[in-house]
Amino acid sequence: MNSDLVRRRLLAALVALVFAAGVVSISSAPTASAEPCPDVEVIFARGTGEPPGLGRVGDAFVGALQSQIAPRSVGAYAVNYAANRTFLGIGDGARDAAGRVQYMRDACPDTKMVLGGFSQGAAVVDAAGGAPVGIPLAPAMAPDLADRVAAVAVFGNPSNRLGGPITALSPLFGYKAIDLCNGADPICSQGRDVSAHSLYVQSGMASQAASFVAGRV
């Protein structure tokens, strides 16, 4: 069987597992920067099935980072992509994230930028940085643009099932990334605790990632 087809089927199976368990979280409305040029901007891609916005994990991560680096300001940008069951919007999301980095580089050159994503959103970040996501995609960011990203944080990353964490496989982001998998979450590990995929906020991992990022911005 074609290897790309196998990877696509695995991605589809992982998404189906999340929906079958009914653990898709509901997020608030999109979060936007309160000022033109914040000290730090988080560019975050939500998980599968979440409404447009940062998603529940993204909201918690941004809030934790704001608390940890206060009084510096934190803005947020919600990556614009479909986030549906097919995973076919990953490339669109990676390009949108890259476009936002380029915009902020030009409009706010002193702003530190952070990329993040949960579940399928983590795969969006993988695709932006050249890590394998099961669908052949070129990295969405050129190296000079990726250099403007200070830190990367992903949660419940399905690419861990397709080769390894972004820390090991992304040529652009690996050394400045944290890739968190909650216990036996089957989306990012060989475990079978489906409920773990919906507990990244409760587990404290959003705060853990914020601590990592705070040390880089």
Side-chain angles (χ1 to χ4, degrees), residues 176-199:
K176 54 188 171 185
I178 185 169
D179 191 327
L180 295 172
C181 185
N182 185 22
D185 178 357
I187 301 303
C188 53
S189 77
Q190 298 298 322
R192 299 183 178 182
D193 183 6
V194 176
S195 66
H197 194 63
S198 65
L199 299 175

Side-chain angles (χ1 to χ4, degrees), residues 9-208:
R9 287 184 174 178
L10 177 55
L11 283 169
L14 294 175
V15 176
L17 180 61
V18 174
F19 273 84
V23 297
V24 175
S25 58
I26 301 300
S27 168
S28 59
T31 305
S33 295
E35 55 187 74
C37 289
D39 296 312
V40 177
E41 174 158 293
V42 176
I43 300 165
F44 199 93
R46 71 196 189 279
T48 305
E50 293 187 296
L54 299 178
R56 193 163 60 92
V57 176
D59 283 335
F61 171 61
V62 170
L65 182 61
Q66 176 67 85
S67 297
Q68 293 189 32
I69 69 170
R72 287 187 289 167
S73 60
V74 178
Y77 175 82
V79 173
N80 182 18
Y81 84 113
N84 59 32
R85 301 188 191 199
T86 68
F87 268 57
L88 296 179
I90 289 175
D92 292 337
R95 287 185 288 273
D96 186 69
R100 182 63 179 184
V101 172
Q102 183 169 352
Y103 168 80
M104 290 298 292
R105 179 194 65 183
D106 297 339
C108 299
D110 295 327
T111 295
K112 302 287 188 180
M113 285 177 278
V114 177
L115 288 184
F118 165 62
S119 194
Q120 185 177 174
V124 167
V125 177
D126 291 332
V133 295
I135 301 170
L137 293 170
M141 289 192 196
D144 64 325
L145 190 60
D147 284 345
R148 299 304 301 270
V149 176
V152 174
V154 292
F155 309 83
N157 188 355
S159 293
N160 280 293
R161 295 282 302 273
L162 300 170
I166 192 173
T167 52
L169 298 180
S170 172
L172 299 179
F173 298 148
Y175 71 94
K176 54 188 171 185
I178 185 169
D179 191 327
L180 295 172
C181 185
N182 185 22
D185 178 357
I187 301 303
C188 53
S189 77
Q190 298 298 322
R192 299 183 178 182
D193 183 6
V194 176
S195 66
H197 194 63
S198 65
L199 299 175
Y200 280 86
V201 177
Q202 295 90 328
S203 70
M205 288 188 172
S207 295
Q208 180 183 343

